[in-house]
Amino acid sequence: DAKTTQPTSMDCAEGRAANLPCNHSTISGNEYVYWYRQIHSQGPQYIIHGLKNNETNEMASLIITEDRKSSTLILPHATLRDTAVYYCIVNSYGGSQGNLIFGKGTKLSVKP
Amino acid sequence: DGGITQSPKYLFRKEGQNVTLSCEQNLNHDAMYWYRQDPGQGLRLIYYSQIVNDFQKGDIAEGYSVSREKKESFPLTVTSAQKNPTAFYLCASGLPRERVNTEAFFGQGTRLTVV
């Protein structure tokens, strides 16, 4: 079973920030939080990952709570091309990426 | 360009036939993986390999087989023993477990339909 829980779906207006929450209450100290997204009928695409500090890259920001039991992926200015399923995953420090357990993710619909 | 390539994109087979899905990467990654995805579902791990000539079963290995004779290649055979083979198959590659803090790269998938 997935170690994370996410809402099944979310809507966001084009140009607005999309905030996607994820609960990972059983995360252990050596586990990273990873985010991937999958556009329909394509392979998943890596977005960002973090351990305990907030992270930002050209695609998104990742905010991890102090107790590390939840996190939020932020797409600052969502576009129609950001419509996809977003997966939040935890993985051990030193663990195999192939053992990433994908849940059902959050289907984000960006609307004009 | 560096990347991971799956072929073909669409594949049709008759029931009872074995079929092999190709996955090639030129990223110099040690680890390679196969996932299966059914409609509306997440990805489930079939097999993974962290080094040449070695591979491990994932959560749903029954009815599948793999080989890892070369670092660049990790073909997946869907055998006639797989009860429900119609699905979207995804291959991924990454650095092995000793190399932390890295992401996995996915191919574009093969959609297999068994009729």
Side-chain angles (χ1 to χ4, degrees), chain A residues 36 38 49 94 96-98, chain B residues 33 35 37 50 97 100-102:
Chain A
Y36 288 78
Q38 186 177 26
H49 73 281
S96 166
Q97 281 276 325
Chain B
Y33 317 94
Y35 288 87
Q37 187 173 34
Q50 301 220 331
R97 65 172 66 236
V100 303
N101 206 21
T102 61

Side-chain angles (χ1 to χ4, degrees), chain A residues 2-100:
Chain A
K3 299 180 186 178
T4 62
T5 56
Q6 301 175 252
T8 301
S9 63
M10 292 182 65
D11 290 341
C12 178
E14 188 178 18
R16 303 295 294 271
N19 298 308
L20 291 88
C22 179
N23 287 323
H24 31 80
S25 58
T26 61
I27 193 169
S28 59
N30 65 348
E31 288 184 315
Y32 283 75
V33 179
Y34 285 80
W35 283 83
Y36 288 78
R37 73 179 183 184
Q38 186 177 26
I39 295 171
H40 183 63
S41 295
Q42 296 184 21
Q45 174 192 23
Y46 166 81
I47 302 173
I48 199 168
H49 73 281
L51 184 62
K52 53 184 177 181
N53 296 324
N54 298 338
E55 302 288 344
T56 295
N57 63 20
E58 64 277 5
M59 289 183 69
S61 294
L62 175 60
I63 309 298
I64 302 174
T65 57
E66 193 169 343
D67 63 8
R68 302 212 320 123
K69 292 185 177 182
S70 66
S71 61
T72 301
L73 178 75
I74 300 172
L75 307 179
H77 305 287
T79 70
L80 298 178
R81 288 183 292 182
D82 291 322
T83 292
V85 177
Y86 288 77
Y87 296 99
C88 168
I89 299 154
V90 297
N91 192 47
S92 300
Y93 182 92
S96 166
Q97 281 276 325
N99 288 337
L100 290 172

Side-chain angles (χ1 to χ4, degrees), chain B residues 9-113:
Chain B
K9 189 173 176 70
Y10 299 96
L11 189 57
F12 296 86
R13 279 293 182 271
K14 290 184 179 180
E15 192 172 349
Q17 289 182 333
N18 292 354
V19 59
T20 298
L21 282 59
S22 169
C23 180
E24 304 278 333
Q25 54 97 1
N26 60 2
L27 299 166
N28 200 33
H29 286 163
D30 289 313
M32 296 186 74
Y33 317 94
W34 275 105
Y35 288 87
R36 169 185 172 135
Q37 187 173 34
D38 294 289
Q41 304 296 313
L43 282 68
R44 291 185 290 167
L45 183 65
I46 304 173
Y47 267 100
Y48 65 100
S49 167
Q50 301 220 331
I51 196 169
V52 174
N53 292 322
D54 186 56
F55 48 83
Q56 307 295 328
K57 292 182 179 180
D59 298 323
I60 55 166
E62 185 175 352
Y64 300 98
S65 66
V66 293
S67 63
R68 187 82 188 280
E69 297 176 0
K70 298 187 300 181
K71 187 175 187 178
E72 303 78 19
S73 179
F74 190 41
L76 173 76
T77 297
V78 184
T79 75
S80 57
Q82 169 50 236
K83 300 291 184 233
N84 187 18
T86 294
F88 187 47
Y89 290 89
L90 285 157
C91 180
S93 73
L95 296 174
R97 65 172 66 236
E98 295 80 16
R99 300 286 294 275
V100 303
N101 206 21
T102 61
E103 69 269 27
F105 293 81
F106 283 82
Q108 290 304 297
T110 292
R111 190 168 299 279
L112 173 65
T113 301

